[in-house]
Amino acid sequence: MTFRTFIFGAFASVLAVSAASAADLPSYKAPPPPPPPPVFSWEGFHIGISGSYAGGVSSQYSQTYLLTGAFLAIPTSTSFGTSGYLVGYQNGYNWVFANGLVAGYESEFNYADVRATDARSYIGAGASSRLQWFGMERLRFGYAFGRFLPYITGGLAYGKVLPYGQQWGGLYPTNQSVWQGGFAIGAGIEYAILDNWTVKAEYIFTRMKGASSANLGLPFTYRTGTGNYLDTNIARIGVNYQVKSIGALIGMPELGL
C-alpha cells in the first residue's frame, strides 16, 4: 500500500464517520408561521342600544269655524321648535357581498321626550306637542373597509305624539295622544372595536304627518286641524353586539345557527 493510497483511505473513512454521525443527530425544523388574524366580517345579526338628541319643527294648520249668524272660517297656521332626547334599542341583520358592499335591515324602538321649545299662542287658542314614543324600520347600504363601515339609510318612521291645544282662553283644552307615520333618511358610520362589538354614529332626518282632526269649541263653533307635520333631526351614538351565531350567543356553539 502506497502512502498516497493510505491518505485517501483515511480521508474517506473520516467522511463516512462524519456522515453517519450527522444522520444520527435530531433534525431541526423551523416553527410554522403564526396563523393570520381572522378577517372581521359584518355578516350576521346584531343587537344594541343607542342614545340620541332630537330637535326640529312641529307645524300645524287649522281653521276655526264660527256658525253664529253668518258662516265664518278663521285660518291659523302655527309652527314651533322642538328638542329633547331618545333612548332605545335596535336589532338587525347585515349581508356582505364579494365586492365589499354591505346591505342590511335594522329595526328600532325608543322612549322619547321631545317637547316644544317655543309653543305659539294666538287669539283664542294655543298649540304645543310632545313626541312620546318613536320607532323606525330602515334599510342600510354601505361599503366595508375592513372594520370601518360607512353607510346610508332610509325607511319608515313612526311615533306617538301628544298634541296639546287650548281654544278660547283655555276653556276647551284638547289633549289626546295620536300615532303618526312618515319617512326617515340619513347616513352613518360604524366601527368594529372588537370582533363582536361595534360603535356607531348616525344622523337621520324624519318627517311624520298626523291625521286631520276636528274639535268642538264654544256653541256653534268647531276647529279643524290639517297638515300636522313633525320634522325631527336625530343625532345619535350607539353600541352593537355582533351575533356571529345564535348558538354562541346562548352558550351552545354546537348549534351553529
Side-chain angles (χ1 to χ4, degrees), residues 20 64 68 91 97 103 110 130 142 151 192 202 234:
T64 302
T68 55
N91 62 82
F97 300 93
N110 302 266
R130 176 194 170 196
Y151 59 88
E202 289 180 325
I234 299 173

Side-chain angles (χ1 to χ4, degrees), residues 6-72:
F6 174 78
I7 293 299
F8 279 122
F11 184 70
S13 299
V14 171
L15 289 180
V17 172
S18 298
S21 300
D24 294 335
L25 294 177
S27 61
Y28 175 77
K29 295 183 179 180
V39 177
F40 179 81
S41 174
W42 291 94
E43 183 91 20
F45 291 97
H46 63 270
I47 56 176
I49 58 175
S50 65
S52 312
Y53 166 79
V57 176
S58 178
S59 59
Q60 301 176 359
Y61 178 79
S62 65
Q63 293 193 89
T64 302
Y65 294 87
L66 306 178
L67 303 179
T68 55
F71 180 87
L72 177 63

Side-chain angles (χ1 to χ4, degrees), residues 122-126 166-170:
Y122 45 89
I123 297 176
Q166 288 188 342
Q167 297 184 53
W168 309 111

Side-chain angles (χ1 to χ4, degrees), residues 151 153 185-189 201-206 232-236:
Y151 59 88
T153 182
I185 188 170
I189 53 175
E202 289 180 325
Y203 165 77
I204 299 175
F205 171 79
T206 69
T232 306
N233 299 286
I234 299 173
R236 70 152 48 116

Side-chain angles (χ1 to χ4, degrees), residues 168-193:
W168 309 111
L171 295 178
Y172 295 92
T174 58
N175 188 348
Q176 182 180 3
S177 296
V178 294
W179 286 97
Q180 295 186 359
F183 68 88
I185 188 170
I189 53 175
E190 192 165 1
Y191 180 75
I193 55 176

Side-chain angles (χ1 to χ4, degrees), residues 60-127:
Q60 301 176 359
Y61 178 79
S62 65
Q63 293 193 89
T64 302
Y65 294 87
L66 306 178
L67 303 179
T68 55
F71 180 87
L72 177 63
I74 304 175
T76 306
S77 179
T78 63
S79 64
F80 43 87
T82 62
S83 67
Y85 66 89
L86 309 171
V87 177
Y89 78 95
Q90 66 269 350
N91 62 82
Y93 192 92
N94 291 324
W95 293 269
V96 179
F97 300 93
N99 53 6
L101 293 177
V102 178
Y105 176 82
E106 191 165 86
S107 174
E108 67 173 77
F109 194 73
N110 302 266
Y111 169 78
D113 189 5
V114 183
R115 301 171 180 260
T117 57
D118 58 346
R120 303 294 176 86
S121 63
Y122 45 89
I123 297 176

